[in-house]
Structure formats: structure tokens, C-alpha cells
Coordinates of all heavy atoms in Angstrom, one line a residue:
M1 N 227.8 3.4 125.3 CA 228.4 2.5 126.3 C 227.9 1.1 126.2 O 226.7 0.9 126.1 CB 228.1 3.1 127.7 CG 228.5 2.2 128.8 SD 227.9 2.7 130.4 CE 228.0 4.4 130.3
I2 N 228.8 0.2 126.1 CA 228.4 -1.2 126.1 C 228.8 -1.8 127.5 O 229.9 -1.6 127.9 CB 229.1 -2.0 125.0 CG1 228.7 -1.4 123.6 CG2 228.8 -3.5 125.0 CD1 229.5 -1.9 122.5
V3 N 227.9 -2.5 128.1 CA 228.2 -3.1 129.4 C 229.0 -4.4 129.1 O 228.4 -5.4 128.7 CB 227.0 -3.3 130.2 CG1 227.4 -4.0 131.6 CG2 226.3 -2.0 130.5
Y4 N 230.3 -4.4 129.3 CA 231.1 -5.6 129.0 C 230.9 -6.7 130.0 O 230.6 -6.4 131.2 CB 232.6 -5.2 128.9 CG 232.8 -4.3 127.8 CD1 232.9 -2.9 127.9 CD2 233.0 -4.8 126.5 CE1 233.1 -2.0 126.9 CE2 233.2 -3.9 125.4 CZ 233.3 -2.6 125.6 OH 233.5 -1.8 124.5
P5 N 231.0 -7.9 129.6 CA 230.8 -9.0 130.6 C 231.6 -9.0 131.8 O 231.1 -9.3 132.9 CB 231.2 -10.3 129.7 CG 231.1 -9.9 128.3 CD 231.4 -8.4 128.3
E6 N 232.9 -8.5 131.8 CA 233.7 -8.4 133.0 C 233.1 -7.4 134.0 O 233.1 -7.7 135.2 CB 235.1 -8.1 132.7 CG 235.4 -6.9 131.9 CD 235.4 -7.0 130.4 OE1 235.1 -8.1 129.9 OE2 235.8 -6.1 129.7
I7 N 232.5 -6.3 133.5 CA 231.9 -5.4 134.4 C 230.6 -6.0 135.1 O 230.4 -5.9 136.3 CB 231.5 -4.1 133.7 CG1 232.8 -3.4 133.2 CG2 230.7 -3.2 134.6 CD1 232.5 -2.2 132.3
M8 N 229.9 -6.7 134.2 CA 228.7 -7.3 134.7 C 229.0 -8.4 135.7 O 228.4 -8.5 136.8 CB 227.9 -7.9 133.6 CG 226.5 -8.4 134.0 SD 225.4 -7.1 134.5 CE 225.0 -6.3 133.0
N9 N 230.1 -9.2 135.5 CA 230.5 -10.2 136.4 C 230.9 -9.7 137.7 O 230.6 -10.2 138.8 CB 231.6 -11.1 135.8 CG 231.1 -11.9 134.6 OD1 229.9 -12.2 134.5 ND2 232.0 -12.3 133.7
C10 N 231.7 -8.5 137.7 CA 232.1 -7.9 138.9 C 230.9 -7.4 139.7 O 230.8 -7.5 140.9 CB 233.1 -6.8 138.6 SG 234.7 -7.3 138.1
A11 N 229.9 -6.8 139.0 CA 228.7 -6.3 139.7 C 227.9 -7.5 140.3 O 227.5 -7.4 141.5 CB 227.8 -5.6 138.7
I12 N 227.8 -8.6 139.6 CA 227.2 -9.8 140.2 C 227.9 -10.3 141.4 O 227.3 -10.6 142.4 CB 227.0 -10.9 139.1 CG1 226.0 -10.4 138.0 CG2 226.6 -12.2 139.7 CD1 226.0 -11.3 136.8
A13 N 229.2 -10.3 141.3 CA 230.0 -10.8 142.4 C 229.8 -9.9 143.6 O 229.7 -10.4 144.8 CB 231.5 -10.9 142.1
Y14 N 229.8 -8.6 143.4 CA 229.5 -7.6 144.5 C 228.2 -7.9 145.2 O 228.1 -8.0 146.4 CB 229.6 -6.2 144.0 CG 229.2 -5.2 145.0 CD1 230.1 -4.8 146.0 CD2 228.0 -4.6 145.0 CE1 229.8 -3.9 146.9 CE2 227.6 -3.7 145.9 CZ 228.5 -3.3 146.9 OH 228.1 -2.4 147.8
L15 N 227.2 -8.1 144.4 CA 225.8 -8.3 144.9 C 225.8 -9.7 145.6 O 225.1 -9.8 146.6 CB 224.8 -8.2 143.8 CG 224.5 -6.8 143.3 CD1 223.5 -6.9 142.1 CD2 224.1 -5.9 144.4
N16 N 226.5 -10.6 145.1 CA 226.5 -12.0 145.8 C 227.2 -11.9 147.2 O 226.9 -12.7 148.0 CB 227.2 -13.0 144.9 CG 226.4 -13.4 143.8 OD1 225.2 -13.3 143.7 ND2 227.0 -14.0 142.7
G17 N 228.0 -10.8 147.4 CA 228.7 -10.6 148.7 C 227.8 -10.0 149.7 O 228.1 -10.0 150.9
I18 N 226.6 -9.6 149.3 CA 225.7 -9.0 150.3 C 225.0 -10.2 151.0 O 224.5 -11.1 150.4 CB 224.6 -8.1 149.6 CG1 225.3 -6.9 148.9 CG2 223.5 -7.6 150.6 CD1 224.4 -6.1 148.1
S19 N 224.9 -10.1 152.3 CA 224.4 -11.2 153.1 C 222.9 -11.4 152.8 O 222.2 -10.4 152.5 CB 224.6 -11.0 154.6 OG 223.7 -9.9 155.0
E20 N 222.4 -12.6 152.9 CA 221.0 -12.9 152.7 C 220.2 -12.2 153.7 O 219.0 -11.9 153.4 CB 220.8 -14.4 152.7 CG 221.4 -15.2 151.5 CD 220.8 -14.7 150.2 OE1 219.6 -14.4 150.1 OE2 221.6 -14.5 149.2
E21 N 220.7 -12.0 154.9 CA 220.0 -11.3 156.0 C 219.6 -9.9 155.5 O 218.5 -9.5 155.8 CB 220.9 -11.2 157.2 CG 220.2 -10.5 158.4 CD 221.2 -10.4 159.6 OE1 222.0 -11.3 159.8 OE2 221.1 -9.4 160.2
K22 N 220.5 -9.3 154.8 CA 220.2 -7.9 154.3 C 219.2 -7.9 153.1 O 218.6 -6.9 152.8 CB 221.5 -7.2 153.9 CG 222.3 -6.8 155.2 CD 223.5 -6.0 154.8 CE 224.3 -5.7 156.1 NZ 225.4 -4.8 155.9
K23 N 219.1 -9.1 152.5 CA 218.2 -9.2 151.3 C 216.8 -9.6 151.7 O 216.0 -9.7 150.8 CB 218.8 -10.2 150.3 CG 220.1 -9.7 149.6 CD 220.6 -10.7 148.6 CE 221.9 -10.3 148.0 NZ 222.3 -11.3 147.0
T24 N 216.6 -9.9 152.9 CA 215.3 -10.5 153.3 C 214.1 -9.5 153.0 O 213.0 -10.0 152.7 CB 215.2 -10.8 154.8 OG1 215.5 -9.6 155.6 CG2 216.2 -11.9 155.1
H25 N 214.4 -8.2 153.0 CA 213.3 -7.3 152.7 C 213.2 -7.0 151.2 O 212.3 -6.2 150.8 CB 213.5 -6.0 153.5 CG 214.7 -5.2 153.1 ND1 215.9 -5.5 153.5 CD2 214.8 -4.1 152.3 CE1 216.8 -4.7 153.0 NE2 216.1 -3.8 152.2
W26 N 214.0 -7.5 150.4 CA 214.0 -7.3 148.9 C 212.7 -7.9 148.3 O 212.3 -8.9 148.7 CB 215.2 -7.8 148.2 CG 216.5 -7.0 148.5 CD1 216.7 -6.1 149.5 CD2 217.7 -7.1 147.7 NE1 217.9 -5.6 149.4 CE2 218.6 -6.2 148.3 CE3 218.1 -7.8 146.6 CZ2 219.9 -6.0 147.8 CZ3 219.3 -7.7 146.1 CH2 220.2 -6.7 146.7
R27 N 212.1 -7.1 147.4 CA 210.9 -7.6 146.7 C 211.4 -8.2 145.4 O 212.5 -8.1 145.0 CB 210.0 -6.4 146.5 CG 209.4 -5.9 147.9 CD 208.6 -4.7 147.7 NE 209.5 -3.5 147.4 CZ 209.2 -2.5 146.7 NH1 208.0 -2.3 146.2 NH2 210.1 -1.5 146.5
P28 N 210.4 -8.7 144.6 CA 210.7 -9.2 143.3 C 211.4 -8.2 142.5 O 211.0 -7.0 142.5 CB 209.4 -9.7 142.7 CG 208.5 -9.9 143.9 CD 209.0 -9.0 145.0
F29 N 212.4 -8.5 141.8 CA 213.2 -7.6 140.9 C 214.1 -6.7 141.6 O 214.8 -5.9 140.9 CB 212.3 -6.9 139.9 CG 211.4 -7.8 139.0 CD1 210.1 -7.9 139.2 CD2 212.0 -8.6 138.0 CE1 209.3 -8.8 138.5 CE2 211.3 -9.5 137.3 CZ 209.9 -9.6 137.5
D30 N 214.1 -6.6 142.9 CA 215.1 -5.7 143.6 C 216.5 -6.1 143.3 O 217.4 -5.2 143.1 CB 214.8 -5.7 145.1 CG 213.7 -4.8 145.5 OD1 213.1 -4.1 144.6 OD2 213.4 -4.8 146.7
E31 N 216.8 -7.4 143.1 CA 218.2 -7.8 142.8 C 218.6 -7.3 141.4 O 219.7 -6.9 141.2 CB 218.3 -9.3 143.0 CG 219.8 -9.7 142.9 CD 220.1 -11.0 143.6 OE1 219.2 -11.6 144.3 OE2 221.3 -11.4 143.5
Q32 N 217.6 -7.4 140.5 CA 217.9 -7.0 139.1 C 218.1 -5.4 139.1 O 219.0 -4.9 138.4 CB 216.8 -7.4 138.1 CG 216.8 -8.8 137.8 CD 216.0 -9.6 138.9 OE1 215.6 -9.1 139.9 NE2 215.9 -10.9 138.6
K33 N 217.3 -4.7 139.9 CA 217.5 -3.3 140.0 C 218.8 -2.9 140.6 O 219.5 -2.0 140.2 CB 216.3 -2.7 140.7 CG 215.0 -2.7 139.9 CD 213.9 -1.9 140.6 CE 213.1 -2.7 141.6 NZ 212.0 -2.0 142.2
A34 N 219.2 -3.7 141.6 CA 220.4 -3.4 142.3 C 221.6 -3.7 141.4 O 222.6 -3.0 141.4 CB 220.6 -4.3 143.5
L35 N 221.5 -4.7 140.5 CA 222.5 -5.0 139.5 C 222.7 -3.8 138.6 O 223.8 -3.3 138.3 CB 222.2 -6.2 138.7 CG 223.2 -6.7 137.7 CD1 224.6 -6.9 138.3 CD2 222.7 -7.9 136.9
V36 N 221.6 -3.2 138.1 CA 221.7 -2.1 137.2 C 222.3 -0.9 137.9 O 223.2 -0.2 137.4 CB 220.3 -1.7 136.6 CG1 220.3 -0.4 135.9 CG2 219.8 -2.8 135.7
A37 N 221.9 -0.7 139.1 CA 222.4 0.4 139.9 C 223.9 0.3 140.2 O 224.6 1.3 140.2 CB 221.7 0.5 141.3
T38 N 224.3 -1.0 140.4 CA 225.8 -1.2 140.6 C 226.6 -0.9 139.4 O 227.6 -0.2 139.5 CB 226.0 -2.7 141.1 OG1 225.2 -2.9 142.2 CG2 227.4 -3.0 141.3
V39 N 226.1 -1.3 138.2 CA 226.8 -1.0 137.0 C 226.8 0.5 136.7 O 227.9 1.1 136.4 CB 226.2 -1.8 135.8 CG1 226.8 -1.3 134.5 CG2 226.4 -3.3 136.0
V40 N 225.7 1.2 136.9 CA 225.6 2.6 136.7 C 226.6 3.3 137.6 O 227.3 4.3 137.2 CB 224.2 3.1 136.9 CG1 224.1 4.6 137.0 CG2 223.3 2.6 135.8
S41 N 226.6 2.9 138.9 CA 227.5 3.6 139.8 C 229.0 3.6 139.5 O 229.7 4.4 139.8 CB 227.2 3.2 141.3 OG 227.7 1.8 141.4
V42 N 229.3 2.5 138.8 CA 230.7 2.4 138.3 C 231.0 3.1 137.0 O 231.9 3.9 136.9 CB 231.1 0.9 138.1 CG1 232.5 0.7 137.5 CG2 231.1 0.1 139.5
L43 N 230.1 3.0 136.1 CA 230.3 3.5 134.8 C 229.9 5.0 134.7 O 230.6 5.8 134.0 CB 229.4 2.8 133.7 CG 229.8 1.3 133.5 CD1 228.8 0.7 132.6 CD2 231.2 1.2 133.0
K44 N 228.9 5.4 135.4 CA 228.5 6.8 135.4 C 228.1 7.3 136.8 O 226.9 7.5 137.1 CB 227.3 7.0 134.4 CG 227.5 6.7 133.0 CD 228.4 7.8 132.4 CE 228.6 7.5 130.9 NZ 229.4 8.5 130.3
P45 N 229.1 7.5 137.6 CA 228.8 7.9 139.0 C 228.0 9.2 139.0 O 228.2 10.1 138.3 CB 230.2 8.1 139.6 CG 231.1 7.4 138.7 CD 230.5 7.4 137.4
G46 N 227.0 9.2 139.9 CA 226.1 10.3 140.1 C 224.9 10.4 139.2 O 224.0 11.2 139.4
K47 N 224.8 9.5 138.2 CA 223.6 9.4 137.4 C 222.6 8.5 138.0 O 223.0 7.5 138.6 CB 224.0 9.0 136.0 CG 224.6 10.1 135.1 CD 224.5 9.7 133.7 CE 224.9 10.9 132.8 NZ 224.6 10.7 131.4
T48 N 221.4 8.7 137.7 CA 220.3 7.8 138.1 C 220.3 6.6 137.0 O 220.8 6.8 135.9 CB 218.9 8.4 138.1 OG1 218.6 8.8 136.7 CG2 218.9 9.6 139.0
N49 N 219.7 5.5 137.4 CA 219.6 4.4 136.5 C 218.9 4.8 135.2 O 219.4 4.5 134.1 CB 218.9 3.2 137.1 CG 219.5 2.7 138.4 OD1 220.7 3.0 138.6 ND2 218.8 1.9 139.1
T50 N 217.8 5.4 135.3 CA 217.0 5.8 134.2 C 217.8 6.7 133.2 O 217.8 6.5 132.0 CB 215.7 6.5 134.6 OG1 215.0 5.7 135.5 CG2 214.8 6.8 133.5
T51 N 218.5 7.7 133.8 CA 219.3 8.6 133.0 C 220.4 7.9 132.3 O 220.6 8.1 131.1 CB 219.8 9.8 133.8 OG1 218.8 10.4 134.5 CG2 220.6 10.8 133.0
S52 N 221.1 7.0 132.9 CA 222.2 6.3 132.3 C 221.7 5.4 131.2 O 222.2 5.3 130.1 CB 222.9 5.4 133.4 OG 223.9 4.7 132.8
I53 N 220.6 4.7 131.4 CA 220.0 3.8 130.4 C 219.6 4.7 129.2 O 219.8 4.3 128.0 CB 218.9 3.0 131.0 CG1 219.4 2.0 132.0 CG2 218.1 2.2 129.8 CD1 218.4 1.2 132.8
A54 N 218.9 5.8 129.4 CA 218.5 6.7 128.4 C 219.6 7.3 127.6 O 219.5 7.5 126.3 CB 217.6 7.8 128.9
N55 N 220.7 7.6 128.2 CA 221.8 8.3 127.6 C 222.9 7.5 127.0 O 223.8 8.0 126.4 CB 222.4 9.3 128.6 CG 221.5 10.5 128.9 OD1 220.5 10.7 128.2 ND2 221.8 11.1 130.0
N56 N 222.8 6.2 127.3 CA 223.9 5.3 126.9 C 223.4 4.1 126.1 O 222.2 3.8 126.2 CB 224.7 4.9 128.1 CG 225.4 6.0 128.8 OD1 226.3 6.7 128.3 ND2 224.8 6.4 130.0
N57 N 224.3 3.4 125.5 CA 224.0 2.3 124.6 C 224.1 1.0 125.5 O 225.0 0.2 125.3 CB 225.0 2.2 123.5 CG 224.6 1.2 122.5 OD1 223.5 0.7 122.4 ND2 225.6 0.8 121.7
W58 N 223.1 0.8 126.3 CA 223.1 -0.4 127.2 C 222.8 -1.6 126.4 O 223.2 -2.7 126.7 CB 222.0 -0.2 128.3 CG 222.6 0.5 129.5 CD1 222.9 1.8 129.5 CD2 222.8 0.0 130.8 NE1 223.4 2.1 130.7 CE2 223.3 1.0 131.5 CE3 222.6 -1.2 131.4 CZ2 223.6 0.9 132.9 CZ3 222.9 -1.4 132.7 CH2 223.4 -0.3 133.4
V59 N 222.0 -1.5 125.3 CA 221.7 -2.7 124.5 C 222.3 -2.4 123.1 O 221.6 -1.8 122.3 CB 220.2 -2.9 124.4 CG1 219.9 -4.2 123.6 CG2 219.6 -3.1 125.8
S60 N 223.5 -2.8 122.9 CA 224.2 -2.6 121.6 C 223.7 -3.4 120.5 O 223.0 -4.4 120.7 CB 225.7 -2.8 121.8 OG 225.9 -4.2 122.0
K61 N 224.0 -3.0 119.3 CA 223.6 -3.8 118.1 C 224.3 -5.2 118.2 O 223.7 -6.2 117.8 CB 224.1 -3.1 116.8 CG 223.4 -1.8 116.6 CD 222.0 -2.0 116.2 CE 221.4 -0.6 115.9 NZ 219.9 -0.7 115.7
Q62 N 225.5 -5.3 118.7 CA 226.1 -6.6 118.9 C 225.3 -7.5 119.8 O 225.1 -8.6 119.5 CB 227.5 -6.4 119.5 CG 228.3 -7.7 119.7 CD 229.6 -7.5 120.4 OE1 230.0 -6.4 120.7 NE2 230.4 -8.5 120.6
V63 N 224.8 -7.0 120.9 CA 224.0 -7.8 121.8 C 222.7 -8.2 121.1 O 222.3 -9.3 121.2 CB 223.7 -7.0 123.1 CG1 222.7 -7.7 124.0 CG2 225.0 -6.8 123.9
Q64 N 222.1 -7.3 120.4 CA 220.9 -7.6 119.7 C 221.1 -8.7 118.6 O 220.2 -9.5 118.5 CB 220.3 -6.3 119.0 CG 219.8 -5.3 119.9 CD 219.3 -4.1 119.2 OE1 218.6 -4.2 118.2 NE2 219.6 -2.9 119.8
R65 N 222.3 -8.7 118.0 CA 222.6 -9.8 117.0 C 222.7 -11.1 117.7 O 222.4 -12.2 117.2 CB 223.8 -9.4 116.2 CG 223.6 -8.4 115.1 CD 224.8 -8.3 114.2 NE 226.0 -7.9 114.9 CZ 226.4 -6.7 115.0 NH1 225.7 -5.7 114.6 NH2 227.5 -6.4 115.7
Q66 N 223.3 -11.1 118.9 CA 223.5 -12.3 119.7 C 222.3 -12.9 120.4 O 222.2 -14.0 120.7 CB 224.6 -12.1 120.7 CG 226.0 -11.8 120.1 CD 227.0 -11.4 121.1 OE1 226.8 -11.2 122.2 NE2 228.3 -11.4 120.6
V67 N 221.3 -12.0 120.6 CA 220.1 -12.4 121.3 C 218.9 -12.0 120.5 O 218.3 -10.9 120.6 CB 220.0 -11.7 122.7 CG1 218.8 -12.2 123.5 CG2 221.3 -11.9 123.5
P68 N 218.5 -12.9 119.6 CA 217.4 -12.6 118.7 C 216.1 -12.1 119.4 O 215.4 -11.2 118.9 CB 217.1 -13.9 117.9 CG 218.4 -14.6 118.0 CD 219.0 -14.2 119.3
A69 N 215.8 -12.7 120.5 CA 214.5 -12.3 121.2 C 214.6 -10.9 121.6 O 213.6 -10.1 121.6 CB 214.3 -13.2 122.4
L70 N 215.8 -10.4 122.0 CA 216.0 -9.0 122.4 C 215.8 -8.1 121.2 O 215.2 -7.1 121.3 CB 217.4 -8.8 123.0 CG 217.7 -7.4 123.5 CD1 216.7 -6.9 124.5 CD2 219.1 -7.4 124.1
A71 N 216.4 -8.5 120.1 CA 216.3 -7.7 118.8 C 214.8 -7.6 118.5 O 214.3 -6.5 118.1 CB 217.0 -8.4 117.7
N72 N 214.0 -8.7 118.6 CA 212.6 -8.6 118.3 C 211.9 -7.7 119.3 O 211.0 -6.9 118.8 CB 212.0 -10.0 118.4 CG 212.4 -10.9 117.4 OD1 212.9 -10.5 116.3 ND2 212.4 -12.2 117.6
F73 N 212.3 -7.7 120.5 CA 211.7 -6.8 121.5 C 212.0 -5.3 121.2 O 211.1 -4.5 121.2 CB 212.1 -7.2 122.9 CG 211.5 -6.3 124.0 CD1 210.2 -6.3 124.3 CD2 212.4 -5.5 124.7 CE1 209.6 -5.5 125.2 CE2 211.8 -4.6 125.7 CZ 210.5 -4.7 126.0
V74 N 213.2 -5.0 120.9 CA 213.6 -3.7 120.5 C 212.9 -3.2 119.3 O 212.4 -2.1 119.2 CB 215.2 -3.6 120.3 CG1 215.6 -2.3 119.7 CG2 215.9 -3.8 121.6
E75 N 212.7 -4.1 118.3 CA 212.0 -3.7 117.1 C 210.5 -3.5 117.4 O 209.9 -2.5 116.9 CB 212.1 -4.8 116.0 CG 211.4 -4.5 114.7 CD 211.8 -3.2 114.1 OE1 213.0 -2.8 114.2 OE2 211.0 -2.5 113.4
F76 N 209.9 -4.3 118.3 CA 208.6 -4.1 118.8 C 208.4 -2.7 119.4 O 207.5 -1.9 119.1 CB 208.1 -5.2 119.7 CG 206.9 -4.8 120.5 CD1 205.7 -5.0 119.9 CD2 207.0 -4.4 121.8 CE1 204.5 -4.6 120.6 CE2 205.8 -4.1 122.5 CZ 204.6 -4.2 121.9
L77 N 209.3 -2.3 120.3 CA 209.3 -1.0 120.9 C 209.4 0.1 119.9 O 208.7 1.1 120.0 CB 210.4 -0.9 122.0 CG 210.2 -1.7 123.2 CD1 211.3 -1.6 124.2 CD2 208.9 -1.4 124.0
R78 N 210.3 0.0 118.9 CA 210.5 1.0 117.9 C 209.2 1.2 117.1 O 208.8 2.3 116.9 CB 211.6 0.6 117.0 CG 213.0 0.9 117.5 CD 214.0 0.8 116.4 NE 215.3 1.1 117.0 CZ 216.3 0.2 117.1 NH1 216.1 -1.0 116.7 NH2 217.4 0.6 117.7
Q79 N 208.5 0.1 116.8 CA 207.3 0.2 116.0 C 206.2 0.8 116.9 O 205.4 1.7 116.5 CB 206.9 -1.1 115.5 CG 207.7 -1.6 114.4 CD 207.3 -3.0 113.9 OE1 206.3 -3.5 114.2 NE2 208.2 -3.6 113.1
L80 N 206.1 0.4 118.2 CA 205.1 0.9 119.1 C 205.2 2.4 119.3 O 204.2 3.1 119.3 CB 205.2 0.1 120.4 CG 204.2 0.5 121.5 CD1 202.8 0.1 121.1 CD2 204.6 -0.1 122.8
L81 N 206.5 2.8 119.5 CA 206.7 4.2 119.8 C 206.9 5.1 118.5 O 207.2 6.3 118.6 CB 207.9 4.4 120.7 CG 207.8 3.7 122.0 CD1 209.2 3.7 122.8 CD2 206.7 4.3 122.9
E82 N 206.7 4.4 117.3 CA 206.9 5.1 116.0 C 208.2 5.8 115.9 O 208.3 6.9 115.5 CB 205.7 6.0 115.8 CG 204.4 5.3 115.7 CD 203.2 6.2 115.5 OE1 203.4 7.5 115.5 OE2 202.1 5.7 115.4
L83 N 209.3 5.1 116.3 CA 210.7 5.6 116.2 C 211.3 5.1 114.9 O 211.0 4.0 114.4 CB 211.5 5.1 117.3 CG 211.1 5.5 118.7 CD1 211.9 4.8 119.8 CD2 211.1 7.0 118.9
S84 N 212.1 5.9 114.2 CA 212.7 5.4 113.0 C 213.9 4.5 113.2 O 214.4 4.4 114.2 CB 213.1 6.6 112.2 OG 214.0 7.4 112.9

């Protein structure tokens, strides 16, 4: 599964619609976690974030080609975890 820009844009728009009053208790990175949860709930209803990320292609080869720093990070993780 590739998270297409239009899905991400809709998820961001949804989160932007949440009042700041409701976000006052959010901690650092809660907004990013909520973004992932929003995408997961649309693409794979009923799955947890971790399961969806593990079972799907969230970071495609195309994205890695477009974002060299991400490709470097993925390669680092492959080497660290001794994955082929």
C-alpha cells in the first residue's frame, strides 16, 4: 500500500478541523501519531497503526527515490537489523 498524497491531504485536513481546545492535552508527536491513525483507519479499518505499518508498504521504493535521506535511513535500518 502506498499512501497517496490525496489521502494524506484529506487526513491533514481532518486533523486541522479538530479544535485547538481539544488539542491542549496533546503531547509532542501526538499530532503525527493521530495523522498515522487517521490514514490507517481509512485504509485498513480495525487494524492498529503498528500492524498496518508492518503489513503494508508505507514507505515505497518511489518515495525512497524521491527522498534520499529516507532511503539512507531505510538502508541504515536494514544493515542494523541484518535484513537482506
Side-chain angles (χ1 to χ4, degrees):
M1 167 190 324
I2 299 170
V3 180
Y4 294 97
E6 56 270 11
I7 294 172
M8 191 63 73
N9 290 337
C10 289
I12 291 168
Y14 173 77
L15 291 176
N16 287 340
I18 297 173
S19 71
E20 290 301 318
E21 179 183 326
K22 291 185 179 186
K23 293 181 181 181
T24 57
H25 68 279
W26 285 18
R27 293 174 286 152
F29 302 107
D30 278 357
E31 189 152 356
Q32 289 83 355
K33 289 190 270 183
L35 179 60
V36 170
T38 302
V39 171
V40 168
S41 68
V42 171
L43 297 176
K44 295 289 182 180
K47 281 197 173 192
T48 64
N49 297 348
T50 305
T51 303
S52 179
I53 292 168
N55 292 340
N56 297 291
N57 187 19
W58 275 65
V59 181
S60 69
K61 295 290 183 187
Q62 178 185 2
V63 171
Q64 291 179 43
R65 283 192 299 272
Q66 293 173 348
V67 184
L70 180 60
N72 291 338
F73 180 65
V74 169
E75 182 57 31
F76 166 77
L77 290 176
R78 282 195 178 112
Q79 289 178 14
L80 178 69
L81 300 172
E82 298 178 356
L83 300 174
S84 55

